[in-house]
Amino acid sequence: MSNDPLAIIFVSNGPGELATWVQPLAKELHKQIELRPKSNSSLRSLNLVLVPCPNATGNENLFAQKESQFENIVKAKNFWEMLLKPKKFGTWPSKGLVIFLGGDQFWSVLLSARLGYLHMTYAEWVARWPFWNNRIVAMSESIVKKLPRRMQNRCSVIGDLTADLTETAKIDNPLPSGKWVALMPGSKSAKLKIGIPFFLDVADKISKSMPDCKFLIPIAPTTNIDEIKYFGSIKNPISKQYKTGIKSITKANNKERRAKLITNHSTVILLQEKHPAYSDLSQCDIALTTVGANTAELGSLKIPMIVVVPTQHLLVMEAWDGLVGLIARLPILKYFLGLLISFVKLRKRGFMAWPNISAKRMIVPERIGHITTAQIAEETIDWLNSPSRLSGQKKDLQALRGVTGAAKNFCKEIINLLKEKELIS
């Protein structure tokens, strides 16, 4: 390979993208190219730049640091300053490659232009700036067809990066026997404020009707047990609207590898702090989840799900994506525009869960609106008591799942581009 210094920069945003796209690709790329920090002798480095995003939690850099995959990690709050003064955040060689892996595609365009680097985009649904890309790697053939004809030769179909999750879903610590419900309240405060008390109340109601049912919360990498405890307490104003709460939390130890939460109604919920929690999730019969990248993860793992967004809470507007979510966070405007935003968003929302978006039809139930915990508990019980329905949804999710190997295909495209531009030999 060439001895010229080279920097590869991943650009991403939120916890879902980091878990399902960034980390698996980084792991595979380190296998195929000698890159710092995994290789001390290499002149080439792998770096991560986080970009502003309403879906981010602010803790993404901490999650990214755990695997020691990146030489430099630039926080989202420093993105604009890096564009102005890149040398403040690292020693960037004259040659490099910026790869879009989440967020607004324009941010990676800006960064590649500022550094004078090559640019590559992973397109899940559409490549928005094709003429600014040296290469586009696409999840499916439909993305290629959307491109201008003269740009289609720059695009290769590599498959679904999320589909590779199934290869890591080996059961290494079996859950006790029984019917299991995974509760996925979200990864950022706006969702946790609502999701924790809502799902705890749902669990209490299911447990009352099905005492043998068991529950699991896989804790998102950007949150922790202390936040779960906080949002389940009376300090969270939404908790006061539900007849539930947290009686105790026992942390994991050498004997018990999962923490244990007990509600005020004595419902036991296991907490998995290890991430990714695919081993535990793959053993669950059904998941109750908010919208987001988690629906793509569950779909890839073929876990039946019910998507839940209780819009009766004003704070739910803060969890919407994009400009709507930004407006809803403004203290003065959110109380005046909150209800209007939700009304318009819900009327024109289309599908919100990844499997439904991908299939362009309703595969997993989306319960969005003024919904109650009793309704969700009853529907969950109906699903648990109907193995044929669960099996049917699993088959639908299996049919949507892309062929595994996307990360390896992606790395081949990266290497081919670098060789084509004579950045490596």
Side-chain angles (χ1 to χ4, degrees), residues 205-215 267:
K205 287 178 167 57
I206 293 174
S207 185
K208 185 176 181 180
S209 298
M210 293 183 69
D212 60 333
C213 191
K214 298 176 175 64
F215 304 91
T267 301

Side-chain angles (χ1 to χ4, degrees), residues 2 193 240 265 315 343:
S2 171
K193 286 176 186 176
K240 300 173 184 178
H265 295 281
L315 284 173
F343 178 76

